[in-house]
Amino acid sequence: MSPVLDTAYIPPRDREEVVREAVWESVVAVDIDHPLPAEDISVRIGLGSVGPLRICSARATAVTVRRTERLAREDEEPLVFLGLQMTGTSLVMQNGRQCLLRPGDFAVYESVAPYTLLFDEGVDHHFLRLPRAALALPERLLRDVTAVTLGPGNPVARLASTYFSQLAASDELRQGVHADAVVEPSIELLRAVLTSQHGDSSRARAPLEATLSLRITHYIRAHLDDPDLSAARIAAAHGISVRHLYAVLSRSGISLGDWIRARRLAECKRDLAGPNGRLRTIAAIGRSWGFLDATHFSKVFRQAYGMSPRDWRDQHHPRSSG
């Protein structure tokens, strides 16, 4: 995500005002308090969007952000924010609660009620904003889950943390057909997190089922290098039967074995052409992505790419003639 604001190029005397205007125009109206002298203020902000989702990635020196009661009353469209902590810690306060966020944790908060965000250690954070109407959840449910740490204790939140950090960091996911494909799963995944956190099993069931294919493919990607990855293991990790697993993937047009093999081959192809492509044997690279039989690896690689793994590597790392 390309930065749209970098205070390194702004005179110190103008930094606070420029940051405030950028946040008000692109994210939401808030009061921003920088405890450091103007010359020490450092802020880098990148913006992106996918459908109704607005994404702001920020790195900054210590700051306190306040959505005051007056600003909350002036809101024209109720918004929901997801704040995802990347490094360090921060504190989120709203509706009489406060929660500490550590790396990988996130919390939600609303624009229609006052909130405070404390970044005493500096900011390394992704902020995702969407209209409250897009979530289609009861206002009471949302109030009950604001300023609550969503992280390791909620397995759906663990998945969502990885997913939303990738969405925020990947320009490719937010462009063209990819953007159209991720809007609905993104919203449904957040719905699943919030309803499961609230303990509303009836409401959680629909978004959990709607995001099941997404959660399965994320799990597979995270375990591609495991040679013991199997349909039974994938199904068990998601609390479903193998038959249900195949049915879910089939609805998404995915053939499990072919899908895993294609992505493993793509990783092998990338490693073979990468800067360290000659530091390991071809067989070792194949094994690192689950191809335990070197002959089989060479065969399926040639079928996929029309050349052997060795020829592919030699194209990118010609042998020295000296």
Side-chain angles (χ1 to χ4, degrees):
M1 187 179 297
S2 301
V4 297
L5 172 67
D6 188 341
T7 54
Y9 304 102
I10 299 170
R13 67 179 181 276
D14 298 329
R15 289 177 183 174
E16 289 191 54
E17 183 61 25
V18 169
V19 169
R20 177 183 174 278
E21 288 185 6
V23 173
W24 277 50
E25 290 180 9
S26 58
V27 187
V28 71
V30 287
D31 289 341
I32 305 173
D33 177 29
H34 301 269
L36 297 176
E39 61 269 20
D40 295 329
I41 293 174
S42 174
V43 179
R44 286 172 54 87
I45 296 175
L47 296 175
S49 61
V50 52
L53 284 169
R54 182 75 164 168
I55 303 169
C56 172
S57 297
R59 286 178 175 267
T61 45
V63 69
T64 299
V65 176
R66 291 185 179 89
R67 175 79 166 169
T68 65
E69 199 162 334
R70 177 182 62 81
L71 292 172
R73 283 198 307 268
E74 295 174 356
D75 208 16
E76 295 181 1
E77 180 184 29
L79 301 168
V80 173
F81 293 90
L82 181 157
L84 175 59
Q85 190 75 23
M86 301 309 295
T87 62
T89 62
S90 65
L91 199 65
V92 178
M93 294 181 281
Q94 188 174 54
N95 295 327
R97 289 186 297 273
Q98 65 178 38
C99 67
L100 179 69
L101 300 184
R102 296 183 173 86
D105 292 340
F106 64 94
V108 296
Y109 44 96
E110 296 186 272
S111 65
V112 294
Y115 62 76
T116 300
L117 312 177
L118 297 177
F119 296 98
D120 290 341
E121 302 174 10
V123 182
D124 187 3
H125 214 75
H126 294 307
F127 303 88
L128 288 87
R129 186 196 79 184
L130 72 160
R132 187 172 69 183
L135 282 173
L137 290 173
E139 293 179 21
R140 176 60 186 272
L141 186 152
L142 282 172
R143 283 198 302 272
D144 288 347
V145 295
T146 56
V148 172
T149 302
L150 300 168
N154 182 328
V156 187
R158 286 201 304 269
L159 166 76
S161 173
T162 301
Y163 172 79
F164 285 117
S165 63
Q166 291 176 349
L167 182 63
S170 172
D171 291 331
E172 184 181 13
L173 278 176
R174 300 191 304 276
Q175 297 172 353
V177 295
H178 302 295
D180 295 335
V182 300
V183 171
E184 185 175 349
S186 299
I187 294 172
E188 288 296 323
L189 183 56
L190 183 54
R191 279 173 51 85
V193 173
L194 300 182
T195 50
S196 63
Q197 181 70 29
H198 193 259
D200 191 336
S201 58
S202 61
R203 289 187 187 277
R205 194 172 300 117
L208 283 172
E209 182 65 25
T211 61
L212 186 53
S213 177
L214 176 72
R215 291 186 283 124
I216 288 170
T217 53
H218 267 73
Y219 178 87
I220 295 171
R221 288 181 187 276
H223 296 83
L224 273 179
D225 59 350
D226 187 344
D228 295 325
L229 186 65
S230 65
R233 179 175 166 184
I234 297 166
H238 294 83
I240 60 176
S241 67
V242 171
R243 182 177 180 180
H244 190 186
L245 169 71
Y246 281 115
V248 168
L249 294 178
S250 177
R251 289 197 294 270
S252 298
I254 294 174
S255 170
L256 181 61
D258 292 344
W259 198 88
I260 292 175
R261 181 167 56 251
R263 274 143 191 84
R264 282 176 166 171
L265 285 170
E267 294 295 338
C268 292
K269 185 182 180 186
R270 179 180 58 81
D271 285 354
L272 287 165
N276 299 321
R278 284 205 177 276
L279 298 183
R280 292 185 295 164
T281 66
I282 291 172
I285 289 174
R287 282 196 302 273
S288 70
W289 291 106
F291 294 103
L292 302 185
D293 185 306
T295 302
H296 174 68
F297 169 51
S298 183
K299 178 181 177 181
V300 295
F301 191 98
R302 183 183 292 276
Q303 288 174 343
Y305 300 118
M307 65 177 67
S308 70
R310 187 175 304 280
D311 290 341
W312 171 255
R313 185 175 66 177
D314 288 347
Q315 274 191 10
H316 292 80
H317 302 283
R319 292 182 179 275
S320 173
S321 56

